[in-house]
Structures are given as C-alpha cells and as structure tokens.
Amino acid sequence: MMNKKQYTAPAKIILFGEHAVVHGQPAIAIPVPDLRATVTIQPRQDGVLRIVVPALNVIWSAFDDTNKDNPLIQMTRLVLSELGNPAHVAADLVLESAIPIASGLGSGAAVSAALGRAVSALARRELDQDALNRLVYEVEKLHHGTPSGIDNTVVVYEQPVYFMRAQPVELLAIGSPLTFVIADTGKPAPTREAVADVNVLLQTQPDTYRPIVERIGGI
C-alpha cells in the first residue's frame, strides 16, 4: 500500500502585462511559493478514485460522466489519458489550498498542477513539466475562457517567466533577493469576467483601448 504523499503547486502574480498578455503582449510573472495548493493521496483498496475538497465539503468521483465540465475531474481524466489510462489508480485525492480564489493569484492553475502531479504519482507514470503545463492550460480554458497561458506556465515551472503568447517560454533568473507585499481585499474578482469585459472594450472601441493594451505590454 502506498503511504500518504503530498504534491503541491504555488500561487503566482503578474508583475507587468496583466490583461494585455491575453492579447499578444509580453508579460512578466513570478511564482508565490508561500501560497500553495496541496493534494494528498490517501490510498483506497476498493478501486475507487475520488477528489475530496474538505473546504467545500464535496467529494467527486473522477469518473463521473455527468460532471465532465468540473475542472478537477477534467484535469484528473486528462492526466490519466495522457498516461495511457493506467489501471489500479484507487485513492482519495484530498485537495487543500491556501490560495484565495478569484484574486488573480492563479488558484485554478495551482490546483490543477498539484492534482496532475498527484495523479501521475498515483499511476506510477512519469508526467514531465511540459506535458503537465499543456494539460493545465487545457483546464485553464474552463476557468478563463481564453487564457494566455501565463498562469499555468509560471505555476508549473515555479520560476519567474517572461511570457508572450505563442512564443517559446523564457524562464528568468533572479540576480538578488526581492521582497513583494501582496494585499488581498477579500473581495473575489473572477478573472474570466474581467477578461471578457476587456474583450468587449477592445471589440467595441478598438481605437481607444488597443493603444492602452499596447502600452501595458511595453515593458
């Protein structure tokens, strides 16, 4: 029997290029290692694979065909498919997170990345960082509609990145220690809605808002 093991992923913040990165502008983002999502594998002997979220008091079957739009279920199934649908993956995957939801801190990407790592470990199959990043990006589409890909990239690689959509990822090295203070208002602001609002402005008033997006990206 496998002992309980934990798999994690960090939060993130975008330092420069927020929103503009969705529209092809460059951005710089960094991981926030002190805020993490964690998945604990609790082995089972009955052949059942479940996703357990104590904070929400919910338990989902990973093979619930009626709930495929659930991001956690989708992530689990994408990883299993990537690994060739291995048998004997029975466990409770217990998810806990210190990352505030809908606060621009990459909660969705972190949860997906931690879950992907746990499922890969449970299946005893290797899932490299590039593959994990690609799968988390697919799930990000459920969270954000048209994600840039920056959240999943900085969360999965857990390194600062210079990111531009459809361009190779550039991982950044930090020359000296830096301290950032991050304030949370406690008021959720879903990224999907904010991205959609910006899209509307760009479509309805491009002459006004396209130059703003380009200036944001001029890092």
Side-chain angles (χ1 to χ4, degrees):
M1 177 186 295
M2 178 186 291
N3 295 325
K4 291 183 181 180
K5 293 186 178 180
Q6 292 186 328
Y7 299 86
T8 75
K12 64 83 197 177
I13 55 173
I14 297 176
L15 296 181
F16 306 101
E18 184 80 63
H19 286 298
V21 69
V22 176
H23 303 282
Q25 296 297 317
I28 292 176
I30 62 172
V32 183
D34 290 342
L35 288 175
R36 307 190 73 86
T38 301
V39 175
T40 303
I41 298 176
Q42 296 184 347
R44 300 175 63 95
Q45 300 300 308
D46 56 4
V48 174
L49 180 60
R50 306 191 308 176
I51 302 163
V52 181
V53 188
L56 300 179
N57 196 30
V58 295
I59 298 174
W60 294 300
S61 167
F63 302 108
D64 181 0
D65 288 332
T66 66
N67 204 7
K68 288 183 179 179
D69 288 338
N70 180 307
L72 300 180
I73 292 176
Q74 186 186 55
M75 185 64 198
T76 301
R77 296 176 73 147
L78 282 173
V79 172
L80 290 174
S81 177
E82 182 79 11
L83 299 176
N85 291 310
H88 313 300
V89 283
D92 281 345
L93 303 173
V94 182
L95 170 64
E96 298 174 294
S97 180
I99 306 170
I101 297 173
S103 298
L105 289 169
S107 172
V111 165
S112 293
L115 185 59
R117 287 174 174 143
V119 173
S120 175
L122 179 64
R124 295 182 175 86
R125 304 281 180 88
E126 182 178 354
L127 184 68
D128 64 32
Q129 298 283 63
D130 291 344
L132 179 62
N133 190 35
R134 172 169 48 82
L135 298 181
V136 175
Y137 176 71
E138 289 303 310
V139 178
E140 282 289 274
K141 294 176 183 178
L142 290 178
H143 291 294
H144 303 310
T146 56
S148 67
I150 192 170
D151 281 21
N152 47 280
T153 300
V154 70
V155 163
V156 168
Y157 293 100
E158 201 162 341
Q159 282 188 247
V161 300
Y162 176 89
F163 183 93
M164 195 168 181
R165 199 167 193 168
Q167 298 294 323
V169 175
E170 184 177 343
L171 302 178
L172 302 178
I174 305 301
S176 59
L178 297 171
T179 299
F180 292 92
V181 177
I182 303 170
D184 178 19
T185 66
K187 297 179 180 179
T191 301
R192 187 186 187 103
E193 295 176 11
V195 169
D197 289 343
V198 173
N199 279 334
V200 170
L201 292 174
L202 286 171
Q203 291 170 10
T204 58
Q205 303 176 63
D207 292 342
T208 298
Y209 290 100
R210 175 59 62 180
I212 294 174
V213 167
E214 292 173 353
R215 287 201 299 273
I216 293 173
I219 57 179

